[in-house]
């Protein structure tokens, strides 16, 4: 498993779909029930903009695996975020939220968190707390001990109270 994961990570580093997708296929064929691999597949297809296929992989994750389930929930929330971005208008807050949302979808979580925090600071109730909820989604994806989570959770609390 470790050697196959290393090969997949090496393929990802090339950013060449001709290497990435065969490596992913190998992983999925050899380890079809491995939640870590299913999450990687979902993440890859989410980055590719294929929300339907990403969702299919997320559905295969064993709900008893808490860590994988938390990550899967975060990825599902990113899919919902992408859908909500299509409904934005042209206000300054809509543009700021949209930019932060696009950053989150690309995996640029530092930029996303800064953008969502800016929206919270300007209007904490914007679109039914969408910016705050988006920050919570990113925290879920990063994990509670990630330095970005620690820093921005504190900044979010300061902005809210």
């Amino acid at each position: 498993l470790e050697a196959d994961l290393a090969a997949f990570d090496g393929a990802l580093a090339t950013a060449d779909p001709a290497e990435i997708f065969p490596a992913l296929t190998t992983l999925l064929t050899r380890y079809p029930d491995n939640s870590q691999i299913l999450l990687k597949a979902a993440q890859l297809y989410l980055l590719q903009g294929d929300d339907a296929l990403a969702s299919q992989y997320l559905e295969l994750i064993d709900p008893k695996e808490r860590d994988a389930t938390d990550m899967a929930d975060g990825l599902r929330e990113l899919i919902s975020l992408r859908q909500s971005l299509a409904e934005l208008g042209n206000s300054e807050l809509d543009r700021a939220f949209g930019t932060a949302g696009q950053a989150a979808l690309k995996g640029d979580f530092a930029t996303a968190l800064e953008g969502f925090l800016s929206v919270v600071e300007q209007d904490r109730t914007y679109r039914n707390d969408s910016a705050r909820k988006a920050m919570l989604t990113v925290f879920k994806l990063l994990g509670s001990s990630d330095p970005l989570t620690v820093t921005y959770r504190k900044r979010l609390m300061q902005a809210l109270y």
Side-chain angles (χ1 to χ4, degrees), residues 5 12 20 24-25 30 33 39 67 76-77 79 81 88 96 98 100 116 126-127 129 138 140 142 149-150 154:
L5 282 172
L12 275 179
I20 295 170
L24 178 62
T25 300
R30 290 183 181 165
D33 298 325
L39 283 170
D67 289 343
R76 284 185 193 96
E77 290 166 17
I79 291 169
L81 174 64
L88 295 177
F116 291 137
Y126 169 79
R127 290 186 170 262
D129 274 348
V138 173
K140 191 180 292 185
L142 292 172
T149 298
V150 173
K154 188 178 298 180

Side-chain angles (χ1 to χ4, degrees), residues 66-77:
R66 182 159 165 58
D67 289 343
T69 302
D70 287 347
M71 175 66 91
D73 288 344
L75 292 172
R76 284 185 193 96
E77 290 166 17

